[in-house]
Coordinates of all heavy atoms in Angstrom, one line a residue:
V1 N 40.7 24.9 21.4 CA 40.0 25.8 20.7 C 39.8 27.1 21.6 O 39.4 27.0 22.7 CB 38.6 25.5 20.2 CG1 37.7 26.6 19.5 CG2 38.7 24.4 19.2
E2 N 40.3 28.3 21.1 CA 40.2 29.5 21.9 C 38.9 30.2 21.7 O 38.2 30.6 22.6 CB 41.3 30.4 21.5 CG 42.6 29.9 22.0 CD 43.8 30.7 21.5 OE1 43.6 31.9 21.0 OE2 45.0 30.2 21.5
S3 N 38.4 30.3 20.4 CA 37.1 30.9 20.2 C 36.7 30.3 18.8 O 37.5 29.9 17.9 CB 37.3 32.5 20.1 OG 38.2 32.9 19.1
C4 N 35.3 30.4 18.5 CA 34.7 29.9 17.4 C 33.5 30.6 17.0 O 32.9 31.3 17.9 CB 34.6 28.4 17.4 SG 33.2 27.8 18.5
C5 N 33.0 30.6 15.8 CA 31.8 31.2 15.3 C 31.3 30.4 14.1 O 32.1 30.1 13.2 CB 32.0 32.7 15.0 SG 30.6 33.5 14.5
C6 N 30.1 30.3 14.0 CA 29.5 29.6 12.8 C 28.8 30.6 12.1 O 28.0 31.5 12.6 CB 28.5 28.5 13.2 SG 29.5 27.0 13.9
I7 N 28.7 30.5 10.7 CA 27.8 31.3 9.8 C 27.1 30.4 9.0 O 27.4 29.1 8.8 CB 28.6 32.3 9.1 CG1 29.7 31.6 8.2 CG2 29.3 33.3 9.8 CD1 30.4 32.4 7.1
Y8 N 26.0 30.9 8.4 CA 25.2 30.1 7.6 C 25.2 30.6 6.1 O 24.8 31.9 6.0 CB 23.7 30.1 8.1 CG 22.7 29.1 7.4 CD1 22.9 27.8 7.4 CD2 21.8 29.7 6.6 CE1 22.1 26.9 6.7 CE2 20.9 28.8 5.9 CZ 21.1 27.5 5.9 OH 20.2 26.7 5.2
E9 N 25.5 29.9 5.2 CA 25.5 30.3 3.8 C 24.1 29.9 3.2 O 23.7 28.8 3.1 CB 26.5 29.7 3.0 CG 26.6 30.1 1.6 CD 27.5 29.3 0.7 OE1 27.2 28.1 0.6 OE2 28.5 29.8 0.2
E10 N 23.3 31.0 3.0 CA 21.9 30.9 2.4 C 21.9 30.2 1.1 O 21.0 29.3 1.0 CB 21.3 32.3 2.4 CG 21.2 33.0 3.6 CD 20.1 32.5 4.5 OE1 19.1 31.8 4.0 OE2 20.2 32.7 5.8
E11 N 22.7 30.6 0.2 CA 22.6 30.1 -1.2 C 22.7 28.5 -1.2 O 21.8 27.7 -1.8 CB 23.7 30.6 -2.1 CG 23.6 32.1 -2.2 CD 24.9 32.7 -2.9 OE1 25.7 31.9 -3.2 OE2 24.9 33.9 -3.0
K12 N 23.7 27.9 -0.6 CA 23.9 26.5 -0.7 C 23.5 25.8 0.6 O 23.6 24.6 0.8 CB 25.4 26.1 -0.9 CG 25.9 26.7 -2.3 CD 27.3 26.2 -2.6 CE 27.6 26.8 -4.0 NZ 29.0 26.4 -4.3
K13 N 22.8 26.5 1.6 CA 22.4 26.0 2.8 C 23.5 25.1 3.6 O 23.2 24.1 3.9 CB 21.1 25.2 2.6 CG 20.0 26.0 1.9 CD 18.8 25.2 1.9 CE 17.6 25.9 1.2 NZ 17.5 27.3 1.4
K14 N 24.6 25.9 3.8 CA 25.7 25.3 4.5 C 26.1 25.9 5.8 O 26.0 27.2 5.9 CB 27.0 25.1 3.7 CG 26.9 24.2 2.5 CD 28.2 24.2 1.8 CE 28.1 23.2 0.7 NZ 29.5 22.9 0.1
I15 N 26.5 25.3 6.8 CA 27.0 25.8 8.0 C 28.5 25.7 7.9 O 29.2 24.8 7.7 CB 26.6 25.0 9.3 CG1 25.0 25.0 9.4 CG2 27.1 25.6 10.6 CD1 24.5 24.1 10.4
I16 N 29.1 27.0 8.2 CA 30.7 27.1 8.1 C 31.1 27.4 9.4 O 30.6 28.5 10.1 CB 31.1 28.1 7.0 CG1 30.6 27.7 5.7 CG2 32.5 28.3 7.1 CD1 29.3 28.3 5.2
M17 N 32.1 26.8 10.0 CA 32.6 27.1 11.3 C 34.0 27.6 11.1 O 34.8 27.0 10.6 CB 32.6 25.8 12.2 CG 33.1 26.1 13.6 SD 32.8 24.7 14.8 CE 34.3 23.8 14.5
Y18 N 34.2 28.7 11.7 CA 35.6 29.3 11.9 C 36.1 29.2 13.3 O 35.2 29.4 14.2 CB 35.6 30.8 11.4 CG 35.5 31.1 10.0 CD1 34.2 31.3 9.3 CD2 36.6 31.0 9.1 CE1 34.2 31.5 8.0 CE2 36.5 31.2 7.7 CZ 35.2 31.5 7.2 OH 35.1 31.6 5.9
Y19 N 37.3 28.9 13.5 CA 37.8 28.8 14.9 C 39.3 29.2 15.0 O 40.0 29.3 14.0 CB 37.6 27.4 15.5 CG 38.7 26.4 15.0 CD1 39.8 26.1 15.7 CD2 38.5 25.7 13.7 CE1 40.7 25.1 15.2 CE2 39.4 24.9 13.2 CZ 40.6 24.5 14.1 OH 41.4 23.7 13.6
T20 N 39.7 29.6 16.2 CA 41.0 29.8 16.5 C 41.5 28.9 17.6 O 40.8 28.4 18.4 CB 41.3 31.3 17.1 OG1 40.5 31.5 18.3 CG2 40.8 32.4 16.1
G21 N 42.8 28.5 17.5 CA 43.4 27.6 18.4 C 44.3 26.5 17.9 O 44.6 26.7 16.7
L22 N 44.8 25.7 18.7 CA 45.9 24.8 18.3 C 45.3 23.4 17.7 O 46.0 22.7 17.1 CB 46.8 24.6 19.4 CG 47.6 25.8 19.9 CD1 48.4 25.4 21.1 CD2 48.4 26.4 18.8
M23 N 44.0 23.2 17.9 CA 43.5 21.8 17.5 C 43.3 21.8 16.1 O 43.0 22.8 15.4 CB 42.1 21.8 18.1 CG 41.3 20.5 18.0 SD 39.8 20.3 18.8 CE 40.3 19.8 20.5
S24 N 43.7 20.7 15.5 CA 43.5 20.6 14.1 C 42.1 20.4 13.6 O 41.2 20.1 14.4 CB 44.3 19.2 13.5 OG 43.6 18.1 14.0
V25 N 41.8 20.7 12.3 CA 40.5 20.7 11.8 C 40.0 19.2 12.0 O 38.8 19.0 12.3 CB 40.6 20.9 10.3 CG1 39.2 20.8 9.6 CG2 41.0 22.5 10.1
E26 N 40.8 18.2 11.7 CA 40.3 16.8 11.9 C 39.9 16.5 13.3 O 38.8 15.8 13.5 CB 41.4 15.8 11.4 CG 41.7 16.0 9.9 CD 42.7 17.1 9.6 OE1 43.4 17.6 10.4 OE2 42.7 17.4 8.4
E27 N 40.7 16.9 14.3 CA 40.4 16.6 15.7 C 39.1 17.3 16.1 O 38.3 16.8 16.8 CB 41.6 17.1 16.6 CG 42.7 16.4 16.5 CD 43.9 16.9 17.4 OE1 44.1 18.2 17.3 OE2 44.5 16.2 18.1
L28 N 39.0 18.6 15.7 CA 37.8 19.3 16.0 C 36.5 18.7 15.3 O 35.5 18.7 16.0 CB 38.0 20.7 15.6 CG 36.8 21.7 16.0 CD1 36.6 21.8 17.5 CD2 37.1 23.1 15.5
T29 N 36.7 18.3 14.1 CA 35.5 17.7 13.5 C 35.0 16.3 14.2 O 33.9 16.3 14.4 CB 35.9 17.3 12.0 OG1 36.3 18.5 11.3 CG2 34.7 16.7 11.3
V30 N 36.0 15.6 14.6 CA 35.7 14.4 15.4 C 35.0 14.8 16.7 O 33.9 14.1 17.1 CB 36.9 13.5 15.7 CG1 36.5 12.4 16.6 CG2 37.5 12.8 14.4
F31 N 35.5 15.8 17.4 CA 34.9 16.1 18.6 C 33.5 16.8 18.5 O 32.6 16.3 19.2 CB 35.8 17.3 19.2 CG 35.3 17.8 20.6 CD1 35.5 17.2 21.8 CD2 34.7 19.0 20.5 CE1 34.9 17.7 22.9 CE2 34.2 19.6 21.8 CZ 34.2 18.8 23.0
V32 N 33.3 17.6 17.5 CA 32.0 18.1 17.2 C 31.0 17.0 16.9 O 29.9 17.1 17.3 CB 32.1 19.2 16.2 CG1 30.7 19.7 15.7 CG2 32.9 20.5 16.7
K33 N 31.5 16.0 16.1 CA 30.5 14.9 15.8 C 30.1 14.2 17.0 O 28.9 13.7 17.0 CB 31.2 14.0 14.7 CG 31.2 14.5 13.4 CD 31.9 13.6 12.4 CE 31.9 14.1 11.0 NZ 32.5 13.2 10.0
E34 N 30.8 14.1 18.0 CA 30.5 13.4 19.2 C 29.5 14.2 20.1 O 28.7 13.7 20.9 CB 31.7 13.1 20.1 CG 32.7 12.1 19.5 CD 34.0 12.0 20.2 OE1 34.2 12.7 21.3 OE2 34.8 11.1 19.7
K35 N 29.5 15.5 19.9 CA 28.8 16.4 20.9 C 27.5 17.0 20.3 O 26.5 17.2 21.0 CB 29.6 17.7 21.2 CG 30.9 17.2 22.0 CD 30.6 16.5 23.4 CE 31.9 16.2 24.0 NZ 31.7 15.5 25.2
L36 N 27.4 17.1 19.0 CA 26.2 17.8 18.4 C 25.4 16.9 17.6 O 25.9 15.8 17.0 CB 26.8 19.0 17.3 CG 27.5 20.1 18.0 CD1 27.9 21.1 16.9 CD2 26.6 20.8 18.9
P37 N 24.1 17.2 17.5 CA 23.3 16.3 16.6 C 23.6 16.5 15.2 O 24.2 17.6 14.8 CB 21.8 16.8 16.9 CG 21.9 18.1 17.7 CD 23.3 18.2 18.2
R38 N 23.2 15.6 14.2 CA 23.7 15.6 12.9 C 23.3 16.8 12.2 O 24.0 17.5 11.4 CB 23.1 14.3 12.2 CG 23.6 14.2 10.8 CD 23.1 12.8 10.4 NE 23.0 12.4 9.0 CZ 24.1 12.4 8.2 NH1 25.1 12.7 8.4 NH2 23.9 12.0 7.0
Y39 N 22.1 17.4 12.4 CA 21.6 18.6 11.6 C 22.4 19.8 12.0 O 22.3 20.8 11.4 CB 20.1 18.8 11.9 CG 19.7 19.3 13.2 CD1 19.6 20.6 13.6 CD2 19.4 18.4 14.2 CE1 19.2 21.0 14.8 CE2 19.0 18.7 15.5 CZ 19.0 20.0 15.7 OH 18.5 20.5 17.0
M40 N 23.1 19.9 13.2 CA 23.9 21.0 13.6 C 25.4 21.0 13.1 O 26.1 22.0 13.5 CB 23.7 21.1 15.2 CG 22.4 21.5 15.6 SD 22.3 21.6 17.4 CE 23.0 23.2 17.6
L41 N 25.7 19.9 12.6 CA 27.2 19.7 12.2 C 27.6 20.7 11.1 O 26.9 20.8 10.1 CB 27.5 18.3 11.7 CG 27.4 17.2 12.8 CD1 27.6 15.8 12.3 CD2 28.3 17.5 13.9
P42 N 28.7 21.3 11.2 CA 29.1 22.2 10.2 C 29.5 21.4 8.9 O 30.0 20.4 9.0 CB 30.3 23.0 10.8 CG 30.8 22.2 12.0 CD 29.7 21.4 12.4
N43 N 29.2 22.0 7.7 CA 29.6 21.4 6.5 C 31.1 21.7 6.1 O 31.7 21.0 5.4 CB 28.7 22.0 5.4 CG 27.3 21.6 5.7 OD1 26.6 22.5 6.1 ND2 26.9 20.5 5.4
A44 N 31.5 22.8 6.6 CA 33.0 23.2 6.5 C 33.6 23.7 7.7 O 32.9 24.4 8.4 CB 33.2 24.3 5.3
V45 N 34.8 23.5 8.0 CA 35.6 23.9 9.2 C 36.8 24.7 8.8 O 37.6 24.0 7.9 CB 35.8 22.8 10.2 CG1 36.6 23.3 11.4 CG2 34.6 22.1 10.6
R46 N 37.0 25.8 9.2 CA 38.2 26.6 8.8 C 38.9 27.2 10.0 O 38.3 27.8 10.9 CB 37.9 27.8 7.9 CG 37.2 27.5 6.5 CD 38.2 26.8 5.6 NE 37.4 26.6 4.4 CZ 36.9 25.4 4.0 NH1 37.0 24.4 4.7 NH2 36.4 25.3 2.8
Q47 N 40.3 26.9 10.2 CA 41.1 27.5 11.2 C 41.6 28.9 10.7 O 42.1 29.0 9.6 CB 42.2 26.6 11.5 CG 43.1 27.1 12.7 CD 44.2 26.0 13.0 OE1 44.5 25.2 12.2 NE2 44.6 26.2 14.3
I48 N 41.5 29.8 11.5 CA 42.0 31.2 11.2 C 42.9 31.7 12.4 O 42.7 31.1 13.5 CB 40.9 32.2 10.8 CG1 39.8 32.2 11.9 CG2 40.3 31.8 9.5 CD1 38.8 33.3 11.7
Q49 N 43.7 32.7 12.2 CA 44.5 33.3 13.2 C 43.7 33.9 14.3 O 44.0 33.8 15.5 CB 45.4 34.2 12.6 CG 46.6 33.5 11.8 CD 47.5 32.8 12.6 OE1 47.7 32.9 13.7 NE2 48.0 31.7 11.9
R50 N 42.8 34.7 13.9 CA 41.9 35.4 14.9 C 40.5 35.8 14.2 O 40.5 36.0 13.0 CB 42.6 36.6 15.5 CG 42.8 37.8 14.5 CD 43.4 39.0 15.2 NE 43.4 40.2 14.4 CZ 42.3 41.0 14.2 NH1 41.2 40.8 14.8 NH2 42.5 41.9 13.4
L51 N 39.5 35.8 14.9 CA 38.2 36.1 14.5 C 38.2 37.6 14.3 O 38.7 38.4 15.1 CB 37.2 35.7 15.4 CG 37.0 34.1 15.5 CD1 36.0 33.9 16.6 CD2 36.6 33.5 14.3
P52 N 37.5 38.0 13.2 CA 37.4 39.5 13.0 C 36.4 40.1 14.0 O 35.3 39.5 14.3 CB 36.9 39.6 11.5 CG 36.3 38.3 11.3 CD 37.0 37.3 12.0
L53 N 36.6 41.3 14.5 CA 35.7 41.9 15.5 C 35.3 43.1 15.0 O 35.8 44.0 14.2 CB 36.4 42.1 16.8 CG 37.1 40.9 17.5 CD1 37.9 41.4 18.7 CD2 36.1 39.9 17.9
T54 N 33.9 43.5 15.4 CA 33.4 44.8 15.2 C 34.0 45.8 16.2 O 34.7 45.4 17.1 CB 31.9 44.8 15.4 OG1 31.6 44.5 16.8 CG2 31.2 43.7 14.6
P55 N 33.8 47.1 15.9 CA 34.3 48.1 16.8 C 33.7 47.9 18.2 O 34.4 48.3 19.3 CB 33.7 49.5 16.3 CG 33.6 49.2 14.9 CD 33.1 47.7 14.8
N56 N 32.6 47.2 18.4 CA 32.1 46.9 19.7 C 32.7 45.7 20.4 O 32.3 45.3 21.5 CB 30.6 46.8 19.7 CG 29.9 48.1 19.4 OD1 30.4 49.1 19.6 ND2 28.7 48.0 18.8
G57 N 33.7 45.0 19.8 CA 34.2 43.8 20.3 C 33.5 42.5 20.0 O 33.9 41.5 20.6
K58 N 32.5 42.5 19.2 CA 31.7 41.4 18.9 C 32.3 40.7 17.7 O 32.9 41.4 16.9 CB 30.3 41.6 18.8 CG 29.6 42.2 20.0 CD 28.1 42.5 19.8 CE 27.6 43.1 21.1 NZ 26.1 43.3 20.9
V59 N 32.0 39.5 17.5 CA 32.5 38.6 16.2 C 31.8 39.4 15.0 O 30.5 39.6 15.0 CB 32.3 37.2 16.4 CG1 32.7 36.6 15.0 CG2 33.0 36.6 17.5
D60 N 32.6 39.8 14.0 CA 32.0 40.3 12.8 C 31.6 39.2 11.8 O 32.4 38.7 11.0 CB 33.0 41.2 12.1 CG 32.5 42.1 11.1 OD1 31.4 41.7 10.5 OD2 33.1 43.1 10.7
R61 N 30.4 38.9 11.9 CA 29.9 37.7 11.0 C 29.9 38.2 9.6 O 30.0 37.3 8.7 CB 28.5 37.4 11.5 CG 28.5 36.6 12.9 CD 27.1 36.4 13.3 NE 27.1 35.8 14.7 CZ 27.2 34.5 15.0 NH1 27.2 33.6 14.1 NH2 27.2 34.1 16.2
L62 N 29.6 39.4 9.3 CA 29.7 39.9 7.9 C 31.0 39.6 7.3 O 31.2 39.3 6.2 CB 29.2 41.3 7.8 CG 27.7 41.6 8.2 CD1 27.4 43.1 8.1 CD2 26.8 40.8 7.2
A63 N 32.1 40.0 8.1 CA 33.4 39.7 7.6 C 33.7 38.3 7.4 O 34.3 37.9 6.4 CB 34.4 40.3 8.6
L64 N 33.2 37.4 8.3 CA 33.4 36.0 8.1 C 32.7 35.5 6.8 O 33.3 34.7 6.0 CB 32.8 35.2 9.2 CG 33.7 35.4 10.5 CD1 33.0 34.6 11.7 CD2 35.1 34.7 10.3
K65 N 31.4 36.1 6.5 CA 30.8 35.6 5.3 C 31.5 36.2 4.1 O 31.6 35.4 3.0 CB 29.4 36.3 5.2 CG 28.4 35.5 6.1 CD 27.0 36.1 6.0 CE 26.1 35.2 6.9 NZ 24.7 35.6 6.7
E66 N 32.1 37.3 4.1 CA 33.0 37.7 3.0 C 34.2 36.9 2.7 O 34.6 36.7 1.6 CB 33.5 39.2 3.2 CG 32.4 40.2 2.9 CD 31.9 40.2 1.5 OE1 32.7 40.1 0.6 OE2 30.7 40.2 1.3
M67 N 34.8 36.5 4.0 CA 36.0 35.6 3.8 C 35.5 34.3 3.1 O 36.3 33.8 2.3 CB 36.5 35.2 5.3 CG 37.3 36.4 5.9 SD 37.8 36.0 7.6 CE 38.6 34.6 7.6
W68 N 34.4 33.8 3.4 CA 34.0 32.5 2.8 C 33.7 32.8 1.4 O 34.1 31.9 0.4 CB 32.6 32.1 3.5 CG 32.1 30.8 2.9 CD1 31.0 30.8 2.1 CD2 32.5 29.6 2.9 NE1 30.8 29.5 1.7 CE2 31.8 28.7 2.2 CE3 33.7 28.9 3.6 CZ2 32.0 27.3 2.0 CZ3 33.9 27.6 3.4 CH2 33.1 26.8 2.6
K69 N 33.2 33.8 1.0 CA 32.9 34.0 -0.4 C 34.2 34.2 -1.2 O 34.3 33.8 -2.4 CB 32.1 35.4 -0.6 CG 30.7 35.2 -0.3 CD 29.9 36.5 -0.5 CE 28.4 36.5 0.0 NZ 27.8 37.7 -0.1
N70 N 35.1 34.8 -0.7 CA 36.4 35.0 -1.4 C 37.4 33.8 -1.3 O 38.3 33.8 -2.2 CB 37.2 36.2 -0.7 CG 36.4 37.6 -0.8 OD1 35.6 37.7 -1.8 ND2 36.6 38.5 0.1
N71 N 37.2 32.8 -0.4 CA 38.0 31.7 -0.4 C 37.4 30.4 -0.8 O 37.9 29.3 -0.4 CB 38.6 31.6 1.1 CG 39.5 32.7 1.5 OD1 40.2 33.2 0.6 ND2 39.5 33.3 2.7
K72 N 36.3 30.4 -1.5 CA 35.7 29.1 -1.9 C 36.6 28.4 -2.8 O 37.4 28.6 -3.6 CB 34.4 29.5 -2.7 CG 33.3 29.7 -1.7 CD 32.1 29.9 -2.5 CE 30.9 30.4 -1.7 NZ 29.7 30.5 -2.5

């Protein structure tokens, strides 16, 4: 995994994790289950080419929320 970011969907109370890298979704899910407590586990994991960035170089969480809404 090169980079990752989680967002929280308020309506359905879900954690969505986006990541970049070569690891498969299944491998990452198993790894995360070993490291995090149950309440912190993402409900959905999506692999993307690159995380969207703001002009300041930070992860654009609003863009990730829009991606989630458009790709349900």
Side-chain angles (χ1 to χ4, degrees):
V1 173
E2 294 173 12
S3 58
C4 69
C5 181
C6 289
I7 59 171
Y8 184 70
E9 184 190 60
E10 296 287 335
E11 297 168 1
K12 295 186 179 179
K13 301 188 184 318
K14 290 186 175 187
I15 299 171
I16 298 98
M17 183 170 89
Y18 286 96
Y19 76 99
T20 63
L22 300 177
M23 188 178 272
S24 72
V25 172
E26 294 80 19
E27 289 174 313
L28 185 57
T29 302
V30 169
F31 178 78
V32 169
K33 283 182 179 180
E34 293 173 357
K35 302 293 181 186
L36 296 175
R38 186 170 165 59
Y39 71 92
M40 293 178 78
L41 293 176
N43 300 98
V45 179
R46 301 285 186 263
Q47 183 179 22
I48 56 178
Q49 291 293 330
R50 66 179 190 85
L51 292 174
L53 301 177
T54 65
N56 293 334
K58 296 179 180 179
V59 175
D60 190 345
R61 292 175 183 270
L62 294 176
L64 289 175
K65 285 186 179 187
E66 284 300 315
M67 286 173 57
W68 177 253
K69 286 181 185 178
N70 294 334
N71 292 323
K72 281 189 192 177

